[in-house]
Amino acid sequence: MRFDVEEFKKRAREDFEHAWHEGPSVLTPAGVSGRYPRLRYTRATPHPIFEIVQRLRETYLAMGFDEAINPLIVEESDIYRQFGPEAMAVLDRVFYLGGLPRPNVGIARKQLDEIEAILGRAVPSGTEEKLRETLHGYKKGTIDGDELTHELAAVLEADDAAVVHILDAVFPEFRELAPESSRNTLRSHMTSGWFLTLSSLWEKRHLPIRLFSIDRCFRREQEEGPTRLMTYHSASCIVAGEDVTLEEGKAVSEALLSAFGFTEFRFQPDEKRSKYYMPETQTEVYARHPALGWVEVATFGIYSPSALAEYGIGVPVMNLGLGVERLAMIAYQSNDVRQLTYPQFFPQEISDREIAGAVHLREEPASATGKRIAEAIRDTAAEHATAPGPCAFTAWKGEIAGREIEVIVEEPESNTKLCGPACANEVYVHDGSVLGVPDIEKWATVRQEGVSTGITYLDAVSSLAAARIEEAARCGQEAHVQVKMSKLPSDVNLRIEEYAMRHITDHNKKVDLRGPVFLTVRSVIPEQPTR
């Protein structure tokens, strides 16, 4: 909170030691919700795939490679030009692009009668002609599909909802449309894009040309599995120049992959031998990782002159490619690319610390004064916890919400103590369970290995009492709060966020916050003296 600078200067000059000890008085009480682990500064979490993409981009740029975006849509004829006799096998695994044809919709008397029935009025002859023109424009492509409803609504002078009803009821042609395939494909290899890019570029830039591209590719797998997805990211580069050799691939591999912790490299011929590479140049890259040992991480080769000639490219080109998801699996030591890529569709593990941060108070005072009342109730109850009843202790006196009040912690009955035994219980999270435990040997393991929420039953109940007292004072009323046995979190003014509760129940863990609390707090508004 703000404080009077001049006042503290004066106090320090008069009695420095006393002023120093009064320093904490300028702090606004944090309240339970403002305490760690609920109060945290957290770094937002990047997606693991895009984290690797970003690291690859930075590494390529540091190596002197310029970034490029290759065409994503590739014509079928380009696949034949690039892969030669292998084209049919490659095309078996590509996605063809398709779309809905635009129907030739006719308007006869029958359709007009149905439209008039829906609109509840006649369609003038001029409107009939405009309707035909609009539908013809849609057929010819001068009106886009997402504009058709609006255009028809303007012609018919009707709202969009009525036009949607007309399209569905009067023109079944729209509902019966089936998609038709084109000869365009989604890129299955980054190589398909490199040929197109280099054909336009190689004679217009200084050689050698060094480019990289990190983008999606699409492959029509029979099914997705732990190591295969139908869409993946390829991190690919090319070096094009008159003196390019296979040694470029080895040098690029080491420079690129050493940035990810790989220390040694081994190169061996790839048995697959794609026809867009020269014979004996397709090479697999194996790298040694400190934690994982030898793993396959990339492939490189020299493009075949036959394929390059199809695009008029007259210099050798080295191409290296690696799957980003493959590299991410290694970096994150994941055994399922689906879970790494789409974690939202798999059960999420939550740490004890995260669960502890999800435990909150149901009610808490809003004002700084209310939070001080909560602290005073807690401190007074803790100090006199074993006092025999009947007993009463003033915890706080002062003004709140414009009214003078007195807060009393009491035990009105005989043969009992001011506080029940469970008041001192502290809430811990241990092995996924939320437990309220006392500081005794039986629960030593929970207290040592678990994560404290920083909340005791007394903290929670004191905040409940202070919140109720604060609210009552605003209304000019006194308050009385009594907590007896705790069986549920709500009994001691606690709530656990829904996601954490779901994790607890899904993993057969428990929430055990039972115990005898037996604490009574009340507020009194003293009578004002009459004048």
Side-chain angles (χ1 to χ4, degrees):
M1 65 175 66
R2 291 177 180 268
F3 59 90
D4 189 331
V5 176
E6 296 302 324
E7 175 64 21
F8 265 84
K9 280 184 181 179
K10 179 182 176 183
R11 292 183 189 180
R13 292 191 186 104
E14 292 174 353
D15 187 342
F16 180 84
E17 191 70 16
H18 180 71
W20 182 68
H21 281 288
E22 284 190 332
S25 67
V26 306
L27 298 178
T28 301
V32 172
S33 64
R35 297 181 200 165
Y36 179 84
R38 282 156 299 285
L39 178 63
R40 291 185 294 173
Y41 286 85
T42 58
R43 178 175 179 266
T45 304
H47 192 285
I49 302 302
F50 289 108
E51 177 81 354
I52 298 298
V53 166
Q54 183 59 24
R55 289 175 61 187
L56 283 165
R57 290 183 68 245
E58 292 171 353
T59 305
Y60 269 126
L61 291 168
M63 291 166 58
F65 282 76
D66 294 323
E67 190 166 23
I69 297 178
N70 287 319
L72 182 63
I73 299 174
V74 180
E75 293 183 9
E76 182 187 71
S77 59
D78 283 300
I79 306 299
Y80 281 100
R81 294 169 71 187
Q82 296 163 15
F83 289 86
E86 280 187 328
M88 286 306 299
V90 173
L91 289 170
D92 180 62
R93 300 181 67 183
V94 306
F95 285 100
Y96 279 84
L97 292 175
L100 293 175
R102 298 199 169 193
N104 187 15
V105 180
I107 300 179
R109 187 67 253 172
K110 176 178 179 293
Q111 284 81 15
L112 288 173
D113 290 341
E114 291 174 352
I115 291 172
E116 290 174 349
I118 292 172
L119 295 177
R121 53 182 167 81
V123 176
S125 58
T127 301
E128 178 183 339
E129 185 58 33
K130 290 181 181 178
L131 184 59
R132 286 194 174 91
E133 291 173 359
T134 302
L135 291 171
H136 184 70
Y138 169 71
K139 169 66 177 176
K140 293 299 183 181
T142 57
I143 296 176
D144 289 334
D146 55 0
E147 298 173 350
L148 181 61
T149 299
H150 174 73
E151 294 293 333
L152 290 174
V155 169
L156 295 172
E157 298 180 355
D159 60 38
D160 288 359
V163 172
V164 170
H165 185 192
I166 289 170
L167 289 173
D168 184 62
V170 180
F171 301 108
E173 297 95 329
F174 288 97
R175 283 188 281 110
E176 296 167 0
L177 291 176
E180 296 177 353
S181 178
S182 70
R183 291 296 183 178
N184 290 330
T185 72
L186 288 174
R187 178 182 61 207
S188 63
H189 299 72
M190 190 62 76
T191 287
S192 299
W194 282 129
F195 281 107
L196 297 169
T197 294
L198 285 170
S199 67
S200 298
L201 201 62
W202 79 277
E203 291 182 302
K204 301 174 184 176
R205 292 183 62 168
H206 176 73
L207 299 177
I209 298 172
R210 297 185 178 93
L211 298 174
F212 80 93
S213 185
I214 305 173
D215 206 349
R216 283 192 181 274
C217 293
F218 301 82
R219 191 170 297 179
R220 194 168 65 91
E221 304 285 0
Q222 293 299 317
E223 62 178 355
E224 295 188 331
T227 60
R228 293 185 181 277
L229 293 174
M230 291 191 184
T231 174
Y232 66 97
H233 291 80
S234 173
S236 179
C237 72
I238 57 94
V239 179
E242 295 178 8
D243 301 319
V244 167
T245 68
L246 201 60
E247 300 305 306
E248 298 277 356
K250 298 175 183 179
V252 170
S253 298
E254 179 172 339
L256 181 66
L257 295 169
S258 61
F260 290 84
F262 296 100
T263 54
E264 297 179 51
F265 301 89
R266 190 170 69 208
F267 310 101
Q268 65 183 51
D270 190 339
E271 296 179 356
K272 291 191 286 291
R273 295 187 176 86
S274 299
K275 289 296 189 289
Y276 56 80
Y277 283 137
M278 286 185 192
E280 312 303 326
T281 66
Q282 187 165 336
T283 305
E284 292 178 334
V285 181
Y286 287 82
R288 185 193 291 276
H289 191 276
L292 305 173
W294 288 98
V295 290
E296 181 189 354
V297 286
T299 301
F300 65 84
I302 305 290
Y303 283 151
S304 166
S306 301
L308 292 170
E310 289 288 328
Y311 292 88
I313 302 167
V315 293
V317 178
M318 189 284 298
N319 165 244
L320 178 143
L322 62 87
V324 174
E325 284 76 6
R326 167 70 174 160
L327 186 58
M329 288 180 71
I330 296 169
Y332 288 89
Q333 300 187 28
S334 170
N335 58 10
D336 194 323
V337 67
R338 298 167 299 180
Q339 187 167 355
L340 186 68
T341 306
Y342 306 114
Q344 65 270 32
F345 301 125
F346 291 82
Q348 302 295 301
E349 289 300 318
I350 302 177
S351 68
D352 284 355
R353 189 169 301 281
E354 289 175 300
I355 296 174
V359 180
H360 303 274
L361 297 185
R362 295 174 66 88
E363 296 182 47
E364 191 171 5
S367 66
T369 302
K371 291 174 182 177
R372 289 195 180 93
I373 292 174
E375 290 181 345
I377 294 170
R378 179 197 63 199
D379 294 344
T380 301
E383 181 182 356
H384 303 285
T386 58
C391 59
F393 300 92
T394 297
W396 189 86
K397 283 184 178 181
E399 182 181 304
I400 184 170
R403 290 180 174 82
E404 291 290 330
I405 67 166
E406 179 180 358
V407 178
I408 299 168
V409 182
E410 65 181 9
E411 173 49 61
E413 298 181 6
S414 302
N415 301 320
T416 57
K417 297 177 180 178
L418 180 67
C419 297
C423 273
N425 284 12
E426 188 170 353
V427 181
Y428 278 79
V429 181
H430 180 252
D431 191 26
S433 294
V434 179
L435 308 170
V437 296
D439 188 8
I440 59 175
E441 183 62 28
K442 177 181 177 181
W443 300 104
T445 300
V446 171
R447 297 179 74 94
Q448 291 169 6
E449 299 178 1
V451 177
S452 172
T453 64
I455 304 173
T456 64
Y457 288 9
L458 185 54
D459 285 325
V461 174
S462 298
S463 290
L464 172 66
R468 299 278 177 88
I469 290 168
E470 181 182 62
E471 182 62 28
R474 291 194 186 99
C475 302
Q477 299 174 351
E478 298 178 344
H480 182 272
V481 178
Q482 185 177 50
V483 178
K484 297 182 179 180
M485 283 292 297
S486 172
K487 297 179 181 178
L488 302 170
S490 58
D491 293 336
V492 282
N493 191 35
L494 293 177
R495 66 177 178 87
I496 302 171
E497 291 188 48
E498 187 174 344
Y499 79 92
M501 276 302 304
R502 180 176 291 276
H503 182 272
I504 291 167
T505 55
D506 286 350
H507 290 77
N508 295 317
K509 303 301 181 179
K510 62 181 179 179
V511 175
D512 189 351
L513 299 175
R514 296 173 295 170
V517 180
F518 294 106
L519 182 69
T520 303
V521 182
R522 63 185 174 91
S523 64
V524 177
I525 300 177
E527 292 184 8
Q528 299 298 319
T530 57
R531 294 182 180 179

